[in-house]
Amino acid sequence: MRRSFFRAPALPYLLVAPQLVLTLVFFYWPALQGLYQSLLIQDPFGLRTSFAGLANFAAVLADPLYGNAVRVTLVFSAAVVAGAMAVGLVLATAAAQPLRGVQVYRTMLVWPYAVAPAVAAALWLFLAHPSVGIVGRALVRWRLGWDYTLNGTHALLLVVVASVWSRVAYNFVFFLAGLQSIPRSLHEAAQVDGATWFQSFRWVTLPLLAPTTFFLLVVNALYSLFDTFAVIHALTKGGPGKATETLIYKVYVDGVVNLNLGSSSAQSVILLILAVVLTSFQFRFLERRVHYA
Amino acid sequence: MSSPGPLRNPHGAVALPAPQAEELRWRLRRSLRFVPAHLVLLAGVALFVFPVYVAFVASTADLPEVTSGTMRLLPGPHAAENYWKAFVAGTGERIRGVPMARAMLNSLAVALGVALGKIALSLLSAYAIVFFDFRWRAPAFWLIFLTLMLPVEVRIIPTYKVASDLGLVNTYTGLILPLTVSATGTLLFRQFFLTVPDELVDAAKIDGAGPLRFLWSVLLPVSRTTVAALFVVLFIYGWNQYLWPLLITTSLEKEVVVVAITKMIGTGEALVDWPVIMASALLALLPPTVVIVAMQRWFVQGLTETEK
C-alpha cells in the first residue's frame, strides 16, 4: 500500500470532479429514473401517469411474449457463448505452438475485433441472403429451404453465426494470453511422464486455463445479453415474428417503438439485476487478479 | 541396414548409419507435428477473411450482377464508381443515405472523443484516488467502480431522456459524453499507479515538485504504454458503438458509419444497392483495422488488462 501522499485541500476533489459529475448525470440519475419509471403506469395517450407499485413487473413476467424473449435469449446466449469460446480456444491452442509465421496468424485472428458487430451483421446478411448471397443461394440450391426472413430457426441461426463471428477474436486474445502464461516446463513434465498431446491438454492446459475460461464465460454472457443488439437490429429486427427478439431487443422495442415506458423500464430493471449478478461474478475474478498480480 | 536409396553420405554409396536416419525421421516427424496447427489456423483465417473478401468483390461489381446472384468471386471493374458513390454521394440507385465521408468523420469524432475523453477523465480521477489521502476517497472510488455493473444498453432509455433534457440530441457532446462514463479506465490507471514506487513521490517532493508537476513530468511519461493500450481499446469501442448513436442522432448530418450502413440495408431486401453498401462496410472497418494492426501489442495489452 502507498505510504507517500500529496497533501492539498481542494486539488483531489477537483481531479475526481469531472468523472464524478458525468457519472452522476449520465449514470446514477438515469438509473434512478429508470427505477422510478418502472413503478409508474402511463395511460396509452401518455396524458396521465400514476403510481403502480410492482404492477409493471407482474405484467412483464406474466406476458407470454416476455417468456418467449427469455427462451430466445437463453438459446441465443448459450449458443453464442459456447460457439465463440470453442472456436477461440481451438484457434488459440494452435496459435500458441511455436509455428513458422505464427505472428501473421495471430494478427489475422486478432484483427476481426475491429469489425463492429453491426458491420459483421451486414457482411453476413450479404452472404446469407437467400436470393443475393453466395452462401444463402447455395443453401437454397441444396434444397434446404433456406430463408431467414421467413423461418425463425434460420433467423436465429444467422444471428448466432454473425455474433459468434464477431466475438471469436476477443476470446482468441484472452485464451492465447492464458496459454502463453502456462509454464512450458509443465508440458515437458507431462511429456516425460508419457502423456499424449490430448492428455497433456486435458490435464495440464485446461485446469490452468480455468480462470481465463471462467472470466470469458461471464464476459461473453454479458456480451450476448447486451452487445448483440446491433447484430439483431441489423439482421432481423427481432423477426420473423418474434423469433430473434432477445431481452435487450424487447427493451428497445417496447421503450422506443411501442413507447410503453413503464413496461420497458421494468424490463430494464430485470436486466439490470441480471447484469449485477453476472458482474459480481466477474469482480470475484478481478479481485483475485488484483490481489495476486 | 536401414533406408537405402537417396540417403547417402558424402563419401560414397554407403547407406546412412542407423542413428543418422533415425535423426532424419525424427526431424520429419517434428516438422509434421505442426501440420494440424497450421491447418486449423488457415481455416480460422479463411473463416474471417472470406466474408470480407466477398464484400470486397461485391464492392467492385455492378448492381445487376449482384442482385441477380451471378456475381463471380473475382474483383470486377466497378470499384471506382461504387466507392465514389459510397464515399462522396452516399446514394445508390435505390438508397439514399449519408455520404461515408461525412459519416466517417462523425465516427472519427466519436471514437477520438470517447478515447481521449475517457483517458483524461480516468487518468485524473485515478491520480486523485491513488496519490491523495482525502476524506471522500473511498466513496468516490466506489461511486466510479459501481458503474462497471451497468452496460449502457440497460439504462439506455432514461439516459436518452436525460440527454434530451440537456439539449444534447444531435450533438457531438451528446454522442460522446455518456459513453465516457465508465470505470474501466480508472481501474486500469489505478492498478498501474499502485505499482509506482513511493520513492518516486518522495523524490518529487524533495525536488520541490507540486502534485500537478509530478503528474505531468513524472507520472504521465511512465504511463505511456497504459495510455496507448487504453487508447486502442477505447478507439475501437467508440467507433463501433451502435445503440447509443442510433437513439441520440436523428439527422443524417450526425450519423455514424455503423448506423449509416444498417440504415442503408433497411429491411434487407434483395434489391438495395449492395455494391455501394459493401463498399461502405469496407470503408467502415478500415480505420479500426488500421489502428488494431498498427498497435497490436498495445491492443492486446489493453484488452487483457481492462478486461472489458
Side-chain angles (χ1 to χ4, degrees):
Chain A
M1 212 53 230
R2 186 163 296 286
R3 282 162 285 107
S4 250
F5 290 105
F6 284 111
R7 300 215 176 270
L11 191 59
Y13 295 98
L14 285 175
L15 291 171
V16 285
Q19 178 150 21
L20 274 187
V21 168
L22 286 177
T23 305
L24 290 175
V25 171
F26 291 113
F27 184 89
Y28 286 103
W29 178 240
L32 282 177
Q33 280 212 319
L35 211 59
Y36 178 60
Q37 197 71 245
S38 71
L39 303 173
L40 300 178
I41 274 188
Q42 242 179 2
D43 70 68
F45 303 103
L47 298 174
R48 238 179 308 156
T49 309
S50 52
F51 187 74
L54 296 177
N56 283 322
F57 290 92
V60 162
L61 293 176
D63 185 357
L65 288 178
Y66 195 73
N68 175 66
V70 170
R71 267 193 308 280
V72 169
T73 306
L74 280 177
V75 174
F76 172 77
S77 298
V80 170
V81 173
M85 286 182 74
V87 178
L89 178 59
V90 168
L91 291 175
T93 309
Q97 316 283 326
L99 304 177
R100 190 167 297 175
V102 76
Q103 210 48 51
V104 179
Y105 285 128
R106 286 179 191 166
T107 303
M108 293 301 285
L109 293 169
V110 167
W111 151 81
Y113 187 82
V115 184
V119 174
L123 298 180
W124 277 94
L125 183 71
F126 184 65
L127 282 181
H129 198 285
S131 61
V132 178
I134 288 186
V135 176
R137 283 171 63 90
L139 291 173
V140 170
R141 214 165 33 244
W142 297 333
R143 301 185 191 288
L144 291 172
W146 173 258
D147 191 350
Y148 69 89
T149 59
L150 297 175
N151 184 317
T153 313
H154 295 173
L156 196 55
L157 189 67
L158 181 58
V159 289
V160 166
V161 168
S163 304
V164 168
W165 189 84
S166 73
R167 191 59 175 176
V168 165
Y170 184 89
N171 287 277
F172 174 77
V173 167
F174 277 89
F175 274 131
L176 186 60
L179 288 168
Q180 285 173 334
S181 71
I182 297 175
R184 191 180 292 179
S185 56
L186 290 175
H187 287 288
E188 284 164 3
Q191 265 179 359
V192 168
D193 287 346
T196 62
W197 178 86
F198 183 77
Q199 281 171 327
S200 152
F201 180 78
R202 169 69 187 82
W203 301 106
V204 177
T205 310
L206 276 189
L208 287 170
L209 268 186
T212 308
T213 310
F214 177 70
F215 164 77
L216 284 174
L217 211 56
V218 174
V219 178
N220 285 322
L222 284 168
Y223 163 84
S224 69
L225 278 176
F226 301 119
D227 292 340
T228 48
F229 173 85
V231 174
I232 294 173
H233 189 252
L235 273 177
T236 62
K237 305 250 185 307
K242 303 269 179 198
T244 53
E245 189 174 271
T246 56
L247 290 171
I248 187 70
Y249 200 80
K250 194 165 160 53
V251 168
Y252 169 80
V253 170
D254 287 346
V256 177
V257 183
N258 300 336
L259 294 176
N260 187 346
L261 281 186
S263 170
S264 170
S265 304
Q267 294 176 37
S268 294
V269 172
I270 296 174
L271 273 184
L272 185 157
I273 295 167
L274 208 60
V276 168
V277 171
L278 281 172
T279 30
S280 50
F281 276 123
Q282 190 193 342
F283 284 170
R284 299 180 73 170
F285 173 84
L286 201 82
E287 224 169 81
R288 253 212 326 267
R289 263 199 53 143
V290 171
H291 280 299
Y292 291 92
Chain B
M1 282 300 244
S2 63
S3 47
L7 301 174
R8 285 160 199 270
N9 69 15
H11 300 295
V14 182
L16 280 174
Q20 226 167 322
E22 191 61 33
E23 189 190 322
L24 263 174
R25 210 174 296 138
W26 182 76
R27 273 209 198 133
L28 186 70
R29 202 179 312 138
R30 209 171 100 102
S31 56
L32 279 180
R33 205 179 84 199
F34 292 124
V35 167
H38 277 290
L39 290 180
V40 165
L41 289 169
L42 284 174
V45 170
L47 178 72
F48 288 109
V49 168
F50 180 67
V52 178
Y53 178 73
V54 172
F56 171 70
V57 172
S59 75
T60 62
D62 72 342
L63 184 59
E65 208 183 321
V66 173
T67 48
S68 63
T70 52
M71 188 181 86
R72 311 243 176 139
L73 275 178
L74 286 174
H78 300 278
E81 74 188 79
N82 289 331
Y83 282 91
W84 176 262
K85 277 185 198 164
F87 192 72
V88 179
T91 47
E93 282 164 46
R94 299 193 177 92
I95 49 169
R96 280 196 87 74
V98 53
M100 277 301 125
R102 176 80 224 171
M104 286 172 81
L105 211 61
N106 291 339
S107 288
L108 189 69
V110 173
L112 285 178
V114 169
L116 298 178
K118 216 163 168 172
I119 287 173
L121 288 173
S122 49
L123 185 78
L124 294 181
S125 60
Y127 177 55
I129 285 169
V130 174
F131 288 96
F132 289 87
D133 192 12
F134 60 108
R135 197 149 167 229
W136 296 93
R137 192 155 84 122
F141 176 69
W142 279 101
L143 273 178
I144 294 168
F145 187 61
L146 280 181
T147 55
L148 272 186
M149 289 266 184
L150 282 189
V152 183
E153 284 80 1
V154 181
R155 59 202 154 84
I156 197 85
I157 291 159
T159 310
Y160 174 79
K161 176 105 191 350
V162 170
S164 82
D165 287 347
L166 293 173
L168 296 178
V169 176
N170 283 325
T171 64
Y172 283 128
T173 318
L175 270 169
I176 294 166
L177 270 194
L179 295 173
T180 58
V181 181
S182 107
T184 45
T186 310
L187 285 179
L188 186 68
F189 278 123
R190 176 181 168 268
Q191 215 163 319
F192 175 72
F193 288 167
L194 287 175
T195 66
V196 172
D198 278 329
E199 286 74 18
L200 221 53
V201 181
D202 296 333
K205 280 183 181 170
I206 291 167
D207 289 348
L212 289 179
R213 182 67 199 270
F214 175 75
L215 172 65
W216 184 253
S217 308
V218 180
L219 208 52
L220 213 52
V222 295
S223 312
R224 270 196 320 256
T225 42
T226 309
V227 171
L230 205 54
F231 176 82
V232 192
V233 172
L234 292 176
F235 183 89
I236 309 292
Y237 168 82
W239 184 276
N240 290 351
Q241 279 302 307
Y242 186 79
L243 179 52
W244 182 248
L246 182 70
L247 286 179
I248 201 72
T249 55
T250 51
S251 79
L252 290 181
E253 279 293 289
K254 290 278 156 38
E255 210 158 75
V256 299
V257 267
V258 177
V259 173
I261 286 165
T262 58
K263 281 201 177 156
M264 279 193 238
I265 294 175
T267 50
E269 281 166 42
L271 294 176
V272 293
D273 287 74
W274 289 109
V276 178
I277 295 175
M278 288 301 124
S280 306
L282 291 182
L283 288 173
L285 63 80
L286 197 61
T289 305
V290 169
V291 169
I292 281 200
V293 172
M295 300 177 73
Q296 193 182 342
R297 195 162 60 82
W298 291 283
F299 167 69
V300 170
Q301 186 197 337
L303 199 64
T304 48
E305 282 178 8
T306 54
E307 349 225 55
K308 219 173 156 87

